[in-house]
Amino acid sequence: MHRNLRWKIPLILLVVLGSVYLAWPLKDKINLGLDLRGGMHLVLEVQTEKAVEAGLERRANDIKKALEDDAIEVDRLKVDQETARLKILLVDASDMAGTEDRMRTYPGLTKVEISSDGLEAIYELKNDEREFIKQNAVSQALEIIRNRVDEFGVAEPSIQIQGERRILVQLPGIKDPKVAIELIGKTARLEFRLVNELVSPDAATSGGLPPDSEVLYERNIDPKTGEVIKGDGDPIVVKKRAELTGEMLTNADVRFDSSNNMPYVSLTFDSIGSQLFYDITSKNVKRRLAIVLDENVYSAPVIQEAIAGGQAQVTGSFSTAEARNLAIALRAGALPAPVKILENRTVGASLGSDSVKAGVKSVLAGFVAVLIFIVIYYRLSGMVAVMALFLNIVLLLGALAYFRASLTLPGIAGILLTVGMAIDANVLVFERIREEIKIGKTVRAAIEAGFEKAFRTIVDANVTTFIAAIVLFQFGTGPIKGFAITLCIGILASMFTAVFVSHVVFDSVQARRKLEKLSI
């Protein structure tokens, strides 16, 4: 045996067997894309203006607390969302200098004017700060949605930003779109707010609502259907200021109440949140603390004693699945702004199945047509090309399984294109060998010269196509990326099988017996 064959043949066997191991069984190892498997296609729009409003409200709360810490008495701090301005009204004009010093620690705000009496200061959110908040809101929303989808257990999701504030979400294999939409679209902003028990809901709705309070409604469940009835629960007057938010959560789990076997969500806070929760509960014993999620009151229990350890519960008439999804949303974190569903399409499983059958038929038909041609035209040498083509498909499937890439309809088109390119490489080699035989070279010399002369042309053709595929993958989205992935992998596999493996097969045959004539 030729000494080079001692490592080339084991290498080929290793690559082929490894690919078979990675790809078999196909049903379990090859992920099908949305167009083949069926699933959901969502286009979401992040309401970035809401993120700006929330950011301004947070700054207002921080500023108020900071001024109080500086012993500056604030009569009123008003947020104007339309103009993105803060109006600070002081009790004593002598505090204005200290207020301006404190406001310099907020570089995102710029001073607009100070009233002539020195009691009112107006600050405005800078334009670049507004744009930063908007861009950050979209990036944060993408990561949070991705975390929620990962925890929901969807294989091979496609989640990416489109344009300035849109997010494309594709979830192959989703069988319950309603649950998925509810999970993805839930803002999941968790707040603990004190109930204002000095004001009755009736007085609040008739105009007696203090400026620091607002009316929220308890989450109400239809006892017959189990569905949430929006806006139909009991009103509760709560403080606008949140004592504690979900940003300090470290975990959220579904647990079951031992007395009635009902599920609830158990919350765990970090060290800062735990201390804060203890301070809140110790200072407000016998008062009601409302647990508010997305502006809905889930429960408002009376604090019986100070709660240490950083543990809390969100109760409410949950189903197990609803409690699980709520825990996922809380663990992934709150969306920085609500999202609006612009497009919601569901690809049915039957359509996906039909697409798979049509795709497989097209690949087989193309494969068989090429095989018939190549065997008729190049005879026994054509069988070498057939073997290389078969190995090319095996390597491609193994690579798809290894990289956990999804096979899509455009991906099948990429495989078909790869089949054509693989045969084209063999044709180039065989034609060069024929030319060498015609000028009188021996079979061994003709084979060596044929592979050597065809190699540069094959590399040139494949490299340019590979570069084009890389560009498609980098700048394309969805189906275009699927096409680019299969094309890239197919080109590399084609180079390996059509040039390296075919050459080794010819060398192996010649190593066993000297060929006087080549069937080509």
Side-chain angles (χ1 to χ4, degrees):
M1 180 181 286
H2 193 282
R3 62 180 182 180
N4 285 338
L5 296 179
R6 290 176 183 170
W7 65 267
K8 289 181 178 177
I9 292 177
L11 175 64
I12 294 170
L13 290 175
L14 184 66
V15 172
V16 173
L17 292 177
S19 298
V20 172
Y21 173 77
L22 289 172
W24 192 262
L26 294 176
K27 185 179 178 182
D28 298 332
K29 299 292 184 66
I30 301 295
N31 294 313
L32 299 180
L34 188 69
D35 49 358
L36 298 179
R37 190 178 174 189
M40 287 185 62
H41 172 100
L42 290 173
V43 177
L44 309 172
E45 184 178 75
V46 182
Q47 306 296 290
T48 52
E49 290 299 334
K50 295 288 183 185
V52 175
E53 293 176 7
L56 200 57
E57 286 287 352
R58 279 197 298 274
R59 279 174 172 77
N61 290 332
D62 289 344
I63 290 168
K64 189 173 183 180
K65 187 172 185 307
L67 292 176
E68 288 173 354
D69 292 343
D70 293 343
I72 296 174
E73 194 173 355
V74 178
D75 182 53
R76 193 165 62 249
L77 198 156
K78 185 180 178 183
V79 176
D80 187 338
Q81 296 291 3
E82 290 186 3
T83 58
R85 289 182 173 182
L86 291 176
K87 293 182 181 178
I88 305 171
L89 185 62
L90 302 176
V91 175
D92 190 341
S94 63
D95 288 331
M96 183 54 74
T99 302
E100 290 192 76
D101 287 341
R102 170 57 70 179
M103 292 304 292
R104 290 191 186 95
T105 62
Y106 295 89
L109 293 168
T110 182
K111 184 171 67 177
V112 177
E113 65 173 307
I114 304 289
S115 65
S116 57
D117 59 5
L119 286 174
E120 186 179 74
I122 299 177
Y123 287 83
E124 186 178 70
L125 202 61
K126 292 179 180 176
N127 285 333
D128 55 353
E129 183 70 9
R130 290 178 63 136
E131 291 305 313
F132 172 78
I133 292 174
K134 288 179 180 179
Q135 292 173 9
N136 198 43
V138 177
S139 301
Q140 275 187 303
L142 177 78
E143 289 304 316
I144 290 166
I145 289 173
R146 181 172 288 149
N147 290 338
R148 290 181 184 181
V149 169
D150 287 346
E151 289 211 33
F152 192 56
V154 179
E156 291 301 310
S158 175
I159 305 168
Q160 52 195 300
I161 294 175
Q162 283 191 330
E164 293 185 354
R165 56 181 184 173
R166 293 185 179 182
I167 296 176
L168 170 68
V169 181
Q170 291 185 327
L171 306 176
I174 283 291
K175 296 178 180 176
D176 194 343
K178 186 179 175 183
V179 174
I181 290 173
E182 185 179 347
L183 175 65
I184 292 170
K186 187 190 287 293
T187 305
R189 178 165 176 76
L190 178 68
E191 297 171 309
F192 289 81
R193 299 198 209 176
L194 287 170
V195 175
N196 189 344
E197 296 176 89
L198 300 176
V199 182
S200 70
D202 291 338
T205 52
S206 59
L209 187 64
D212 65 342
S213 302
E214 64 179 324
V215 178
L216 297 180
Y217 292 86
E218 277 191 296
R219 179 175 171 275
N220 203 9
I221 302 292
D222 188 320
K224 293 181 180 177
T225 64
E227 294 184 352
V228 179
I229 305 172
K230 293 182 179 177
D232 196 31
D234 295 330
I236 295 182
V237 181
V238 298
K239 295 283 189 180
K240 284 184 177 178
R241 180 172 175 269
E243 302 293 329
L244 181 63
T245 67
E247 293 172 358
M248 297 178 185
L249 276 181
T250 57
N251 197 15
D253 280 328
V254 178
R255 304 280 176 83
F256 289 86
D257 192 321
S258 57
S259 60
N260 55 21
N261 203 33
M262 290 293 292
Y264 66 89
V265 179
S266 173
L267 308 176
T268 305
F269 295 102
D270 60 17
S271 57
I272 297 174
S274 298
Q275 182 60 46
L276 200 54
F277 194 58
Y278 176 78
D279 293 341
I280 296 165
T281 52
S282 61
K283 293 175 183 175
N284 297 284
V285 175
K286 299 303 177 186
R287 292 189 64 183
R288 294 177 70 190
L289 183 65
I291 302 172
V292 181
L293 185 70
D294 293 345
E295 301 296 312
N296 290 307
V297 178
Y298 273 60
S299 57
V302 176
I303 301 169
Q304 300 295 345
E305 59 183 353
I307 302 173
Q311 296 282 338
Q313 298 176 2
V314 179
T315 58
S317 302
F318 295 125
S319 65
T320 304
E322 191 182 4
R324 171 179 169 266
N325 291 337
L326 177 60
I328 289 174
L330 290 173
R331 280 200 299 269
L335 290 176
V339 292
K340 180 181 178 183
I341 297 176
L342 298 181
E343 186 179 345
N344 175 15
R345 286 193 287 114
T346 302
V347 180
S350 58
L351 178 59
S353 176
D354 292 343
S355 299
V356 171
K357 290 176 183 175
V360 170
K361 282 181 182 177
S362 63
V363 170
L364 288 177
F367 194 78
V368 170
V370 169
L371 295 191
I372 292 173
F373 167 77
I374 205 76
V375 170
I376 292 175
Y377 198 71
Y378 291 109
R379 290 171 284 183
L380 286 179
S381 295
M383 294 300 295
V384 177
V386 170
M387 180 208 64
L389 190 60
F390 178 75
L391 292 183
N392 188 35
I393 299 291
V394 172
L395 298 189
L396 198 152
L397 292 175
L400 283 176
Y402 178 77
F403 290 111
R404 301 183 66 81
S406 295
L407 183 61
T408 61
L409 272 179
I412 291 176
I415 293 176
L416 273 174
L417 181 59
T418 301
V419 167
M421 294 182 67
I423 284 299
D424 189 47
N426 283 113
V427 168
L428 284 171
V429 173
F430 293 167
E431 288 301 320
R432 296 292 85 77
I433 293 176
R434 275 182 169 179
E435 290 172 2
E436 298 299 322
I437 291 175
K438 284 179 182 176
I439 62 175
K441 286 189 176 180
T442 62
V443 171
R444 176 183 292 275
I447 290 173
E448 292 300 322
F451 274 99
E452 186 179 342
K453 290 183 177 179
F455 181 74
R456 183 181 294 277
T457 307
I458 294 171
V459 169
D460 287 346
N462 282 287
V463 164
T464 52
T465 309
F466 190 81
I467 292 172
I470 291 290
V471 173
L472 281 177
F473 179 80
Q474 182 65 32
F475 298 103
T477 58
I480 295 177
K481 277 200 171 187
F483 174 78
I485 288 173
T486 51
L487 190 56
C488 285
I489 297 173
I491 288 171
L492 295 176
S494 168
M495 292 283 290
F496 180 74
T497 56
V499 179
F500 186 77
V501 175
S502 296
H503 200 168
V504 169
V505 172
F506 280 111
D507 286 346
S508 300
V509 173
Q510 290 185 95
R512 290 178 179 276
R513 61 190 179 94
K514 186 177 180 182
L515 295 176
E516 299 294 337
K517 188 177 179 183
L518 186 63
S519 176
I520 191 167

